[in-house]
Amino acid sequence: MAISVQQLGSAIPDFYAGFKPYLAITKAKVVMMLVLTAWVGVALAPDVGRSLGHQLMSLLSIGLISASAAAINHVVDRNRDRKMARTRHRPLAMQQLSVSKALIFAVSLAVAGTLGLLLFSNWLCTVLTLLALLGYAVVYTMFLKHMTPQNIVIGGLAGALPPLLGWVSETGALAAEPWLLVMIIFAWTPPHFWALAIAREADYARAGIPMLPVTHGIQFTKLCMVVYTLLLAVTCVLPYLIGMVGYAYLIVASILNGLFIYLIVRLYISHTVQQAMGVFRFSIWYLLLLFVSLFVDRALV
């Protein structure tokens, strides 16, 4: 049976509308950032002669498992999401997508990502990536997030692992160098999320999520942000000190950390919701530019 151009043209928007809720629960922008940091791990790892195709498939597989973790997060948090202005329009909160469909989708992504890593990478990378999935989707989302104001600090390790995963996908072995990149993301995570938590403090309180501004107050949270940002600045120097990267990275990292410290200190002295959101948005660009500078630095070597 022939399909007319008009029928085909109307089918494409219908397909996109049907797929859009699935795409939304994967947190695609976050996943792309995670894949970028994993790609840096691949780029900085010793050259072992793997093909570009195997590298790309490994990164895609890491992305699929990350998307699965995000989808599970949406399922678990759907009731709390309805209470928060920032999240009440999510597909599961608005019942645009059923729990069963979301879970089937999440499991499918995880299975596809696992098979991809087994076929195109190695067993160690597969195990570590699945542990990261469990760390975020189960340990953090189901327990830590609702039990302790240190939820972001403890649970941040799962989101900090992609550079290590990229390195291990290439080499099949653990090493000290990628752990420095993990430490950078680990130190970056608290000031990044606490800036959002300060801006949305009433939202988190209403949803019953014990974020640090809710349990210990905004001023104490800002002090913790200053401490972690200073720790982040020191951590960023370590890859240069061990000869992992060169001057190009060090210059960019120094400028970014100077700006980050300035914004955090300004927020500490006198804050508004707009300033807190400004810190949050800058922190995203900070991590993106910092890891892009690692690519550039490697290309200049």
Side-chain angles (χ1 to χ4, degrees):
M1 180 177 173
I3 300 177
S4 68
V5 173
Q6 184 177 5
Q7 289 175 319
L8 181 62
S10 63
I12 292 174
D14 290 342
F15 171 79
Y16 175 72
F19 184 71
K20 191 175 180 180
Y22 290 97
L23 181 62
I25 66 172
T26 64
K27 299 184 179 180
K29 292 181 180 179
V30 175
V31 169
M32 285 190 288
M33 181 72 81
L34 295 175
V35 171
L36 171 66
T37 61
W39 191 6
V40 170
V42 171
L44 296 181
D47 185 3
V48 295
R50 293 181 77 225
S51 69
L52 178 61
H54 278 69
Q55 292 173 337
L56 292 177
M57 289 303 298
S58 297
L59 291 172
L60 173 62
S61 299
I62 292 171
L64 290 174
I65 294 177
S66 301
S68 173
I72 294 171
N73 172 268
H74 276 75
V75 172
V76 174
D77 278 349
R78 64 190 184 281
N79 292 326
R80 289 183 176 86
D81 284 346
R82 296 189 184 104
K83 301 175 183 178
M84 299 179 64
R86 185 176 68 89
T87 58
R88 65 189 179 193
H89 298 298
R90 287 177 172 176
L92 283 158
M94 297 183 67
Q95 297 182 325
Q96 296 173 340
L97 195 64
S98 69
V99 172
S100 59
K101 288 181 178 179
L103 285 175
I104 291 172
F105 181 60
V107 171
S108 300
L109 291 174
V111 170
T114 301
L115 291 175
L117 287 176
L118 289 173
L119 287 172
F120 298 102
S121 184
N122 54 71
W123 69 268
L124 181 58
C125 182
T126 306
V127 170
L128 290 174
T129 307
L130 290 176
L131 286 176
L133 165 68
L134 291 174
Y136 179 77
V138 178
V139 177
Y140 168 71
T141 301
M142 293 185 179
F143 299 104
L144 290 177
K145 186 174 182 179
H146 313 292
M147 289 175 59
T148 170
Q150 294 299 313
N151 45 22
I152 290 301
V153 177
I154 304 171
L157 181 59
L161 285 178
L164 176 67
L165 301 179
W167 182 289
V168 173
S169 74
E170 194 73 359
T171 65
L174 295 171
E177 292 91 334
W179 281 108
L180 294 181
L181 304 181
V182 171
M183 288 173 60
I184 289 173
I185 302 177
F186 182 76
W188 165 87
T189 300
H192 165 69
F193 275 106
W194 284 337
L196 178 65
I198 288 173
R200 299 288 184 261
E201 185 254 349
D203 251 4
Y204 283 110
R206 185 164 51 250
I209 300 174
M211 295 297 287
L212 196 62
V214 176
T215 61
H216 288 69
I218 290 177
Q219 197 64 25
F220 178 76
T221 303
K222 292 190 294 183
L223 176 61
C224 292
M225 290 172 68
V226 171
V227 172
Y228 270 96
T229 308
L230 293 174
L231 176 63
L232 173 62
V234 173
T235 305
C236 284
V237 179
L238 297 180
Y240 171 77
L241 292 179
I242 67 167
M244 185 178 175
V245 292
Y247 283 112
Y249 162 80
L250 183 63
I251 292 170
V252 173
S254 299
I255 294 171
L256 289 173
N257 280 301
L259 290 171
F260 205 3
I261 291 170
Y262 165 74
L263 291 174
I264 293 290
V265 170
R266 189 180 69 169
L267 182 67
Y268 177 78
I269 294 171
S270 175
H271 89 273
T272 64
V273 170
Q274 290 76 17
Q275 284 180 333
M277 286 304 299
V279 170
F280 174 73
R281 295 188 187 99
F282 173 80
S283 67
I284 297 172
W285 281 104
Y286 169 96
L287 193 65
L288 175 63
L289 294 174
L290 187 73
F291 274 79
V292 167
S293 73
L294 288 165
F295 276 118
V296 174
D297 186 275
R298 174 50 62 95
L300 295 174
V301 175

